[in-house]
Amino acid sequence: MGFFDKIKRAFSGEKPAEELKTEEKYEKGLEKTRKTFSQRMNELFANFRTVDEDFFEELEETLIEGDVGFQTALDITDALRQEVKLQNVKKSDDVQRVIVEKLVDLYEAQGLNEVNALNLQAEGPTVILFVGVNGVGKTTSIGKLAHQYKEEGKKVLMAAADTFRAGAIDQLVVWGERADVPVVRGKAGGDPAAVVFDAVKRAKEEHADILLVDTAGRLQNKVNLMKELEKIKRVIQRELPEAPHEVLLVVDATTGQNALVQAKQFKETTDVTGIVLTKLDGTAKGGIVLAIRNELHLPVKLVGLGEGIDDLAPFDPNEFVYGLFKDLIAEEK
Ligand code: GDP
Ligand code: MG
């Protein structure tokens, strides 16, 4: 179903029940971003009676402040300039419509061939490695995901390979209790690769479906971090040559452009297959999703929408754009 069909259906109230829960979560999680963004857009429209060059400059600024990324903001504005000329748009209402159309167009074009679903194996354990700097939400996201898979009836295992801080191991153990999922752990300060070795062995022996691996994230020592992650991967591959099936880089949406810089650095450190964007509920900078995709060419696969065990959702681009521009679209009616 196309994006606008989806929106039309959303407004007409014809929506299957199972879609409601995720949509509500996105809506809530994106509240701050949406309010700020549409507030600014509305101010923009109030201030400009005619669509002239000043308007486009202001629009560009609004987009940059929304953290969609510099290049993306320029691309969107350029595309709009052409479109407005092409359609000979003059009225403010029509400009709004064209803006939303163009944003969705660009978004969908950039996202072509993008795989948002996690690469789960039908046979044997699927190994998912979580990387990212301290405090971004790795351990929390692993706990939430473990809970989801467990609820689906899968056999799940977690590995506490962030041995750098004692607290990190205990924190994962607490999530293990909450999700009722076993945690393979070693001593604080021990070798993370040894923990991962034990975990992979156990996952094979016990025919686990999913193994979620927590890691330490010390970016101040890039070379060490790179070596450690490579060692962890080698240990996994000795037992399971195709693994890890996903290397998910966890980034904190509240850090805005900083998240983008982090993601770029990590992409150089290790092969990343996707992004987990956390704390979308706590930010007005949800536009960072667009920036990550358009500037890093990495798919956002999961989003964190709160601190609770159920506050992790698969990333759905349509749902996201809809959430972001909902107020603007609603006002067109
Ligand atoms: P780690 O160091 O990367 O393992 O990060 P943690 O998992 O320990 O998370 C750091 C903090 O971020 C904790 O207080 C979490 O509760 C919080 N957190 C993680 N994900 C989210 C989220 O999606 N939303 C909100 N509001 N808080 C989150
Ligand atoms: Mg942690």
Side-chain angles (χ1 to χ4, degrees):
M1 195 187 312
F3 176 73
F4 281 104
D5 293 328
K6 222 174 162 167
I7 290 171
K8 267 185 231 140
R9 207 167 55 120
F11 280 106
S12 65
E14 306 161 32
K15 225 176 336 177
E18 74 271 16
E19 274 185 26
L20 268 173
K21 214 179 149 201
T22 327
E23 268 177 40
E24 274 167 18
K25 270 191 188 156
Y26 272 106
E27 224 165 88
K28 235 181 107 42
L30 279 178
E31 220 161 47
K32 284 192 186 150
T33 298
R34 199 176 62 231
K35 278 196 180 135
T36 318
F37 187 79
S38 39
Q39 211 175 329
R40 286 197 187 135
M41 290 298 252
N42 285 335
E43 274 166 23
L44 185 64
F45 288 118
N47 289 340
F48 285 88
R49 293 268 147 240
T50 49
V51 183
D52 53 14
E53 195 41 40
D54 285 348
F55 169 85
F56 283 118
E57 272 171 26
E58 195 78 24
L59 173 69
E60 213 164 78
E61 223 174 284
T62 308
L63 291 169
I64 291 170
E65 281 164 16
D67 259 330
V68 301
F70 188 70
Q71 195 53 49
T72 310
L74 297 192
D75 291 349
I76 290 174
T77 315
D78 275 347
L80 276 171
R81 267 195 197 98
Q82 288 185 13
E83 198 66 27
V84 164
K85 219 184 265 168
L86 211 67
Q87 296 194 23
N88 194 20
V89 176
K90 294 205 176 68
K91 281 197 306 208
S92 163
D93 282 3
D94 291 336
V95 177
Q96 285 198 30
R97 177 184 51 78
V98 172
I99 286 179
V100 175
E101 263 174 31
K102 207 68 216 168
L103 283 169
V104 174
D105 271 5
L106 275 175
Y107 191 89
E108 288 188 338
Q110 298 273 356
L112 282 182
N113 305 320
E114 183 175 272
V115 182
N116 290 98
L118 293 182
N119 173 26
L120 298 186
Q121 305 301 295
E123 295 280 326
T126 298
V127 182
I128 307 178
L129 205 61
F130 287 75
V131 302
V133 301
N134 279 338
V136 290
K138 290 184 295 297
T139 308
T140 307
S141 301
I142 290 171
K144 292 170 179 174
L145 199 59
H147 167 72
Q148 281 183 15
Y149 285 135
K150 171 90 186 184
E151 291 276 287
E152 286 173 18
K154 293 192 163 74
K155 194 169 166 62
V156 189
L157 212 57
M158 298 193 278
D162 179 359
T163 59
F164 193 57
R165 296 173 301 131
I169 300 173
D170 295 338
Q171 195 191 347
L172 194 67
V173 170
V174 170
W175 275 106
E177 283 160 10
R178 269 186 216 150
D180 191 22
V181 165
V183 177
V184 178
R185 56 180 297 181
K187 277 203 273 309
D191 181 4
V195 177
V196 174
F197 176 78
D198 289 345
V200 174
K201 215 165 127 257
R202 183 163 161 193
K204 276 177 81 176
E205 279 165 14
E206 297 181 359
H207 305 288
D209 299 305
I210 312 270
L211 171 61
L212 305 172
V213 181
D214 199 5
T215 66
R218 284 152 289 152
L219 248 196
Q220 65 268 33
N221 203 336
K222 200 172 154 186
V223 176
N224 273 359
L225 179 69
M226 196 187 312
K227 280 188 182 150
E228 190 171 292
L229 290 175
E230 286 316 311
K231 191 172 163 195
I232 287 175
K233 278 191 189 168
R234 272 203 310 277
V235 164
I236 295 172
Q237 276 158 4
R238 226 180 285 150
E239 294 293 315
L240 298 165
E242 304 292 308
H245 305 93
E246 291 278 359
V247 178
L248 298 181
L249 173 61
V250 184
V251 290
D252 176 345
T254 62
T255 60
Q257 289 301 302
N258 230 341
L260 201 65
V261 174
Q262 268 177 30
K264 278 184 180 149
Q265 288 179 339
F266 252 98
K267 217 183 147 188
E268 289 163 14
T269 308
T270 191
D271 291 329
V272 175
T273 58
I275 300 280
V276 180
L277 190 65
T278 62
K279 312 186 197 180
L280 264 186
D281 54 303
T283 181
K285 295 169 181 274
I288 195 73
V289 179
L290 292 167
I292 286 178
R293 227 251 317 273
N294 297 351
E295 289 177 28
L296 293 177
H297 308 288
L298 281 173
V300 175
K301 297 202 169 182
L302 296 167
V303 289
L305 300 166
E307 289 187 277
I309 199 161
D310 288 313
D311 295 332
L312 186 77
F315 181 67
D316 179 334
N318 284 341
E319 226 62 270
F320 179 81
V321 183
Y322 163 69
L324 207 53
F325 302 114
K326 184 176 154 275
D327 293 350
L328 285 177
I329 296 161
E331 275 175 25
E332 275 180 46
K333 287 178 41 147

